[in-house]
PDB file of all heavy atoms in Angstrom:
ATOM      1  N   ARG A 316     130.518  45.703  76.822  1.00  0.00           N
ATOM      2  CA  ARG A 316     131.304  44.841  75.962  1.00  0.00           C
ATOM      3  C   ARG A 316     131.477  45.482  74.600  1.00  0.00           C
ATOM      4  O   ARG A 316     130.583  46.110  74.063  1.00  0.00           O
ATOM      5  CB  ARG A 316     130.647  43.468  75.809  1.00  0.00           C
ATOM      6  CG  ARG A 316     130.530  42.709  77.123  1.00  0.00           C
ATOM      7  CD  ARG A 316     130.031  41.301  76.916  1.00  0.00           C
ATOM      8  NE  ARG A 316     130.979  40.530  76.117  1.00  0.00           N
ATOM      9  CZ  ARG A 316     130.756  39.270  75.728  1.00  0.00           C
ATOM     10  NH1 ARG A 316     129.640  38.666  76.051  1.00  0.00           N
ATOM     11  NH2 ARG A 316     131.662  38.638  75.006  1.00  0.00           N
ATOM     12  N   ARG A 317     132.640  45.295  74.015  1.00  0.00           N
ATOM     13  CA  ARG A 317     132.972  45.882  72.711  1.00  0.00           C
ATOM     14  C   ARG A 317     133.130  44.784  71.673  1.00  0.00           C
ATOM     15  O   ARG A 317     133.709  43.732  71.932  1.00  0.00           O
ATOM     16  CB  ARG A 317     134.278  46.662  72.826  1.00  0.00           C
ATOM     17  CG  ARG A 317     134.799  47.171  71.500  1.00  0.00           C
ATOM     18  CD  ARG A 317     136.147  47.812  71.660  1.00  0.00           C
ATOM     19  NE  ARG A 317     136.074  49.074  72.362  1.00  0.00           N
ATOM     20  CZ  ARG A 317     135.748  50.219  71.775  1.00  0.00           C
ATOM     21  NH1 ARG A 317     135.460  50.265  70.495  1.00  0.00           N
ATOM     22  NH2 ARG A 317     135.695  51.319  72.483  1.00  0.00           N
ATOM     23  N   HIS A 318     132.597  45.058  70.473  1.00  0.00           N
ATOM     24  CA  HIS A 318     132.889  44.172  69.361  1.00  0.00           C
ATOM     25  C   HIS A 318     134.353  44.329  69.002  1.00  0.00           C
ATOM     26  O   HIS A 318     134.939  45.389  69.155  1.00  0.00           O
ATOM     27  CB  HIS A 318     132.017  44.529  68.148  1.00  0.00           C
ATOM     28  CG  HIS A 318     130.546  44.330  68.407  1.00  0.00           C
ATOM     29  ND1 HIS A 318     129.996  43.107  68.631  1.00  0.00           N
ATOM     30  CD2 HIS A 318     129.534  45.235  68.506  1.00  0.00           C
ATOM     31  CE1 HIS A 318     128.690  43.240  68.833  1.00  0.00           C
ATOM     32  NE2 HIS A 318     128.391  44.533  68.769  1.00  0.00           N
ATOM     33  N   HIS A 319     134.936  43.261  68.488  1.00  0.00           N
ATOM     34  CA  HIS A 319     136.350  43.335  68.130  1.00  0.00           C
ATOM     35  C   HIS A 319     136.557  44.358  67.030  1.00  0.00           C
ATOM     36  O   HIS A 319     135.904  44.345  66.015  1.00  0.00           O
ATOM     37  CB  HIS A 319     136.855  41.968  67.672  1.00  0.00           C
ATOM     38  CG  HIS A 319     136.900  40.974  68.792  1.00  0.00           C
ATOM     39  ND1 HIS A 319     137.787  41.086  69.842  1.00  0.00           N
ATOM     40  CD2 HIS A 319     136.158  39.872  69.039  1.00  0.00           C
ATOM     41  CE1 HIS A 319     137.597  40.072  70.686  1.00  0.00           C
ATOM     42  NE2 HIS A 319     136.614  39.333  70.222  1.00  0.00           N
ATOM     43  N   GLY A 320     137.486  45.255  67.257  1.00  0.00           N
ATOM     44  CA  GLY A 320     137.787  46.296  66.279  1.00  0.00           C
ATOM     45  C   GLY A 320     139.278  46.478  66.170  1.00  0.00           C
ATOM     46  O   GLY A 320     140.060  45.846  66.878  1.00  0.00           O
ATOM     47  N   LYS A 321     139.661  47.335  65.314  1.00  0.00           N
ATOM     48  CA  LYS A 321     141.077  47.581  65.066  1.00  0.00           C
ATOM     49  C   LYS A 321     141.493  48.866  65.744  1.00  0.00           C
ATOM     50  O   LYS A 321     140.972  49.920  65.431  1.00  0.00           O
ATOM     51  CB  LYS A 321     141.334  47.674  63.562  1.00  0.00           C
ATOM     52  CG  LYS A 321     142.803  47.917  63.212  1.00  0.00           C
ATOM     53  CD  LYS A 321     142.964  47.971  61.705  1.00  0.00           C
ATOM     54  CE  LYS A 321     144.404  48.244  61.327  1.00  0.00           C
ATOM     55  NZ  LYS A 321     144.580  48.351  59.875  1.00  0.00           N
ATOM     56  N   ARG A 322     142.415  48.750  66.654  1.00  0.00           N
ATOM     57  CA  ARG A 322     142.940  49.941  67.312  1.00  0.00           C
ATOM     58  C   ARG A 322     144.055  50.516  66.456  1.00  0.00           C
ATOM     59  O   ARG A 322     144.901  49.794  65.952  1.00  0.00           O
ATOM     60  CB  ARG A 322     143.483  49.570  68.697  1.00  0.00           C
ATOM     61  CG  ARG A 322     144.067  50.762  69.439  1.00  0.00           C
ATOM     62  CD  ARG A 322     144.695  50.302  70.728  1.00  0.00           C
ATOM     63  NE  ARG A 322     145.504  51.371  71.282  1.00  0.00           N
ATOM     64  CZ  ARG A 322     146.390  51.189  72.243  1.00  0.00           C
ATOM     65  NH1 ARG A 322     146.575  50.001  72.747  1.00  0.00           N
ATOM     66  NH2 ARG A 322     147.099  52.204  72.696  1.00  0.00           N
ATOM     67  N   HIS A 323     144.028  51.817  66.279  1.00  0.00           N
ATOM     68  CA  HIS A 323     145.019  52.427  65.403  1.00  0.00           C
ATOM     69  C   HIS A 323     146.405  52.389  66.023  1.00  0.00           C
ATOM     70  O   HIS A 323     146.580  52.309  67.222  1.00  0.00           O
ATOM     71  CB  HIS A 323     144.630  53.866  65.053  1.00  0.00           C
ATOM     72  CG  HIS A 323     144.905  54.868  66.134  1.00  0.00           C
ATOM     73  ND1 HIS A 323     146.176  55.244  66.490  1.00  0.00           N
ATOM     74  CD2 HIS A 323     144.064  55.578  66.918  1.00  0.00           C
ATOM     75  CE1 HIS A 323     146.124  56.148  67.436  1.00  0.00           C
ATOM     76  NE2 HIS A 323     144.866  56.360  67.725  1.00  0.00           N
ATOM     77  N   HIS A 324     147.394  52.437  65.146  1.00  0.00           N
ATOM     78  CA  HIS A 324     148.787  52.562  65.555  1.00  0.00           C
ATOM     79  C   HIS A 324     149.357  53.811  64.934  1.00  0.00           C
ATOM     80  O   HIS A 324     149.122  54.101  63.767  1.00  0.00           O
ATOM     81  CB  HIS A 324     149.591  51.329  65.105  1.00  0.00           C
ATOM     82  CG  HIS A 324     149.119  50.058  65.742  1.00  0.00           C
ATOM     83  ND1 HIS A 324     149.473  49.684  67.023  1.00  0.00           N
ATOM     84  CD2 HIS A 324     148.290  49.081  65.283  1.00  0.00           C
ATOM     85  CE1 HIS A 324     148.908  48.518  67.318  1.00  0.00           C
ATOM     86  NE2 HIS A 324     148.186  48.147  66.282  1.00  0.00           N
ATOM     87  N   ARG A 325     150.113  54.534  65.710  1.00  0.00           N
ATOM     88  CA  ARG A 325     150.706  55.761  65.195  1.00  0.00           C
ATOM     89  C   ARG A 325     151.698  55.431  64.103  1.00  0.00           C
ATOM     90  O   ARG A 325     152.434  54.472  64.186  1.00  0.00           O
ATOM     91  CB  ARG A 325     151.417  56.501  66.328  1.00  0.00           C
ATOM     92  CG  ARG A 325     150.446  56.965  67.405  1.00  0.00           C
ATOM     93  CD  ARG A 325     151.200  57.432  68.619  1.00  0.00           C
ATOM     94  NE  ARG A 325     152.150  58.458  68.270  1.00  0.00           N
ATOM     95  CZ  ARG A 325     151.829  59.726  68.123  1.00  0.00           C
ATOM     96  NH1 ARG A 325     150.586  60.107  68.239  1.00  0.00           N
ATOM     97  NH2 ARG A 325     152.744  60.625  67.827  1.00  0.00           N
ATOM     98  N   GLY A 326     151.717  56.257  63.040  1.00  0.00           N
ATOM     99  CA  GLY A 326     152.579  55.937  61.921  1.00  0.00           C
ATOM    100  C   GLY A 326     153.582  56.999  61.576  1.00  0.00           C
ATOM    101  O   GLY A 326     154.241  56.878  60.558  1.00  0.00           O
ATOM    102  N   ARG A 327     153.700  58.060  62.400  1.00  0.00           N
ATOM    103  CA  ARG A 327     154.571  59.154  61.992  1.00  0.00           C
ATOM    104  C   ARG A 327     156.007  58.683  61.844  1.00  0.00           C
ATOM    105  O   ARG A 327     156.738  59.096  60.957  1.00  0.00           O
ATOM    106  CB  ARG A 327     154.511  60.288  63.008  1.00  0.00           C
ATOM    107  CG  ARG A 327     155.364  61.474  62.629  1.00  0.00           C
ATOM    108  CD  ARG A 327     155.387  62.534  63.707  1.00  0.00           C
ATOM    109  NE  ARG A 327     154.062  62.946  64.076  1.00  0.00           N
ATOM    110  CZ  ARG A 327     153.587  62.864  65.313  1.00  0.00           C
ATOM    111  NH1 ARG A 327     154.340  62.390  66.276  1.00  0.00           N
ATOM    112  NH2 ARG A 327     152.375  63.261  65.583  1.00  0.00           N
ATOM    113  N   ALA A 328     156.432  57.801  62.716  1.00  0.00           N
ATOM    114  CA  ALA A 328     157.836  57.395  62.691  1.00  0.00           C
ATOM    115  C   ALA A 328     158.185  56.643  61.423  1.00  0.00           C
ATOM    116  O   ALA A 328     159.335  56.560  61.032  1.00  0.00           O
ATOM    117  CB  ALA A 328     158.153  56.524  63.907  1.00  0.00           C
ATOM    118  N   SER A 329     157.139  56.096  60.764  1.00  0.00           N
ATOM    119  CA  SER A 329     157.420  55.347  59.552  1.00  0.00           C
ATOM    120  C   SER A 329     157.572  56.287  58.375  1.00  0.00           C
ATOM    121  O   SER A 329     157.890  55.857  57.289  1.00  0.00           O
ATOM    122  CB  SER A 329     156.297  54.346  59.279  1.00  0.00           C
ATOM    123  OG  SER A 329     155.081  55.040  59.017  1.00  0.00           O
ATOM    124  N   GLN A 330     157.259  57.583  58.548  1.00  0.00           N
ATOM    125  CA  GLN A 330     157.432  58.572  57.500  1.00  0.00           C
ATOM    126  C   GLN A 330     158.034  59.794  58.168  1.00  0.00           C
ATOM    127  O   GLN A 330     157.587  60.288  59.177  1.00  0.00           O
ATOM    128  CB  GLN A 330     156.096  58.956  56.878  1.00  0.00           C
ATOM    129  CG  GLN A 330     155.286  57.766  56.446  1.00  0.00           C
ATOM    130  CD  GLN A 330     153.997  58.225  55.760  1.00  0.00           C
ATOM    131  OE1 GLN A 330     154.031  59.081  54.912  1.00  0.00           O
ATOM    132  NE2 GLN A 330     152.903  57.627  56.143  1.00  0.00           N
ATOM    133  N   SER A 331     159.774  59.323  57.427  1.00  0.00           N
ATOM    134  CA  SER A 331     160.460  60.441  57.954  1.00  0.00           C
ATOM    135  C   SER A 331     159.785  61.548  57.233  1.00  0.00           C
ATOM    136  O   SER A 331     160.072  61.390  56.068  1.00  0.00           O
ATOM    137  CB  SER A 331     161.878  60.521  57.746  1.00  0.00           C
ATOM    138  OG  SER A 331     162.575  60.770  58.829  1.00  0.00           O
ATOM    139  N   GLU A 332     134.468  78.592  70.610  1.00  0.00           N
ATOM    140  CA  GLU A 332     133.210  79.075  70.406  1.00  0.00           C
ATOM    141  C   GLU A 332     133.490  80.224  71.171  1.00  0.00           C
ATOM    142  O   GLU A 332     132.910  80.400  72.136  1.00  0.00           O
ATOM    143  CB  GLU A 332     132.483  78.023  71.054  1.00  0.00           C
ATOM    144  CG  GLU A 332     131.277  77.754  71.356  1.00  0.00           C
ATOM    145  CD  GLU A 332     130.972  76.382  71.526  1.00  0.00           C
ATOM    146  OE1 GLU A 332     130.901  75.730  70.585  1.00  0.00           O
ATOM    147  OE2 GLU A 332     130.783  76.056  72.619  1.00  0.00           O
ATOM    148  N   ALA A 333     135.121  80.378  70.272  1.00  0.00           N
ATOM    149  CA  ALA A 333     135.635  81.292  71.277  1.00  0.00           C
ATOM    150  C   ALA A 333     134.503  82.097  71.876  1.00  0.00           C
ATOM    151  O   ALA A 333     134.380  82.179  73.085  1.00  0.00           O
ATOM    152  CB  ALA A 333     136.643  82.218  70.642  1.00  0.00           C
ATOM    153  N   ASP A 334     133.609  82.658  71.057  1.00  0.00           N
ATOM    154  CA  ASP A 334     132.546  83.523  71.581  1.00  0.00           C
ATOM    155  C   ASP A 334     131.426  82.728  72.197  1.00  0.00           C
ATOM    156  O   ASP A 334     130.663  83.252  72.996  1.00  0.00           O
ATOM    157  CB  ASP A 334     131.982  84.408  70.460  1.00  0.00           C
ATOM    158  CG  ASP A 334     132.993  85.428  69.979  1.00  0.00           C
ATOM    159  OD1 ASP A 334     133.833  85.846  70.806  1.00  0.00           O
ATOM    160  OD2 ASP A 334     132.937  85.793  68.795  1.00  0.00           O
TER     161      ASP A 334
END
Side-chain angles (χ1 to χ4, degrees):
R316 298 187 63 183
R317 173 186 289 278
H318 296 294
H319 292 292
K321 181 179 179 182
R322 179 185 167 195
H323 78 70
H324 297 280
R325 296 169 55 82
R327 182 185 306 122
S329 64
Q330 309 183 47
S331 230
E332 176 156 286
D334 292 330

